[in-house]
Amino acid sequence: EAAVTQSPRSKVAVTGGKVTLSCHQTNNHDYMYWYRQDTGHGLRLIHYSYVADSTEKGDIPDGYKASRPSQENFSLILELASLSQTAVYFCASSDAGGRTGQLYFGEGSKLTVL
Amino acid sequence: GQQVKQSSPSLTVQEGGISILNCDYENDMFDYFAWYKKYPDNSPTLLISVRSNVDKREDGRLTVFLNKSGKHFSLHITASQPEDTAVYLCAAGENQGGSAKLIFGEGTKLTVSS
């Protein structure tokens, strides 16, 4: 069974502060993704990566940075957190072999920005 | 704009009935189509998926229909049960130069009433 773990699971941050969400996978998957979940919007892709030391912008990258220091780890960084970034964030990995395939999701990280 | 769209935010079906969930997409390059199921406070899990070279795929009570000319796919759940109550997310994927990304719809909340 695929294993994707996120930390922290829940965080309260202040507006303007820096937030780092971490994701670790033990599946030996090449692809990793960060999505945010908002009511009425489903899951929206923020950043993704298909190889270490390289990241790609998703559909809503503004206000977020990503880092993929190794195949196993993928971080999402909010340099200046804003109220609108309050959401649940999901990390996922996939062994797509170059083609889109099944995503294995982490448990989610609930971020509240005050 | 929204590349993958679920026009019905909610659906209620009687136990034993057929649940039909719909999804429309815009991008002709999508070649992978999937349905994920999500319970509250849980992560999404893959239910069923198809590649663009097939029009239909069955798996137990689940059937995916793909209409490429209409840019539409749907999920049919027969003999719906209360435990089918969840949010269903459709997703479509494309491959760009070796990187694969999956785009989700907004989700449809299915309620199966007993």
Side-chain angles (χ1 to χ4, degrees):
Chain A
E1 178 92 18
V4 180
T5 55
Q6 297 180 223
S7 63
R9 295 290 313 279
S10 179
K11 182 173 179 65
V12 178
V14 295
T15 304
K18 182 176 180 178
V19 176
T20 299
L21 303 178
S22 300
C23 181
H24 179 79
Q25 55 107 349
T26 59
N27 312 313
N28 200 33
H29 287 171
D30 288 329
Y31 295 79
M32 296 188 75
Y33 307 82
W34 276 107
Y35 289 87
R36 67 176 277 174
Q37 178 195 6
D38 301 276
T39 303
H41 288 280
L43 295 173
R44 292 185 290 173
L45 182 61
I46 306 170
H47 285 286
Y48 63 107
S49 168
Y50 54 92
V51 67
D53 295 322
S54 178
T55 63
E56 305 290 331
K57 293 180 179 179
D59 296 325
I60 54 163
D62 293 345
Y64 302 93
K65 292 183 180 179
S67 173
R68 182 92 182 271
S70 64
Q71 186 193 42
E72 297 81 14
N73 296 293
F74 190 38
S75 297
L76 186 67
I77 303 149
L78 290 66
E79 295 278 3
L80 295 169
S82 66
L83 294 173
S84 63
Q85 293 176 312
T86 293
V88 178
Y89 292 85
F90 286 98
C91 175
S93 75
S94 173
D95 180 14
R99 298 194 66 193
T100 313
Q102 179 176 358
L103 264 59
Y104 296 88
F105 284 89
E107 317 95 315
S109 296
K110 183 176 181 180
L111 174 65
T112 303
V113 182
L114 301 176
Chain B
Q2 187 76 18
Q3 294 191 63
V4 178
K5 188 163 182 62
Q6 296 175 254
S7 56
S8 298
S10 63
L11 174 68
T12 300
V13 173
Q14 288 285 329
E15 183 177 4
I18 299 177
S19 301
I20 300 176
L21 300 148
N22 295 299
C23 190
D24 297 297
Y25 63 94
E26 297 179 352
N27 190 340
D28 287 332
M29 299 303 294
F30 286 150
D31 66 350
Y32 172 85
F33 305 89
W35 286 94
Y36 281 73
K37 182 177 184 180
K38 185 181 182 305
Y39 291 114
D41 299 325
N42 274 37
S43 54
T45 56
L46 177 68
L47 276 178
I48 188 169
S49 64
V50 295
R51 298 275 175 201
S52 58
N53 58 342
V54 298
D55 296 330
K56 175 183 174 182
R57 182 184 173 197
E58 293 182 62
D59 183 2
R61 295 190 294 115
L62 307 177
T63 303
V64 176
F65 294 92
L66 175 61
N67 176 353
K68 292 187 288 293
S69 62
K71 297 183 184 178
H72 176 86
F73 61 109
S74 61
L75 173 67
H76 292 215
I77 306 174
T78 58
S80 298
Q81 302 164 6
E83 50 265 39
D84 295 330
T85 294
V87 173
Y88 289 78
L89 297 157
C90 67
E94 61 173 317
N95 299 283
Q96 295 179 343
S99 67
K101 63 178 187 177
L102 199 60
I103 307 299
F104 285 84
E106 308 94 325
T108 296
K109 180 177 170 58
L110 173 66
T111 302
V112 180
S113 57
S114 55

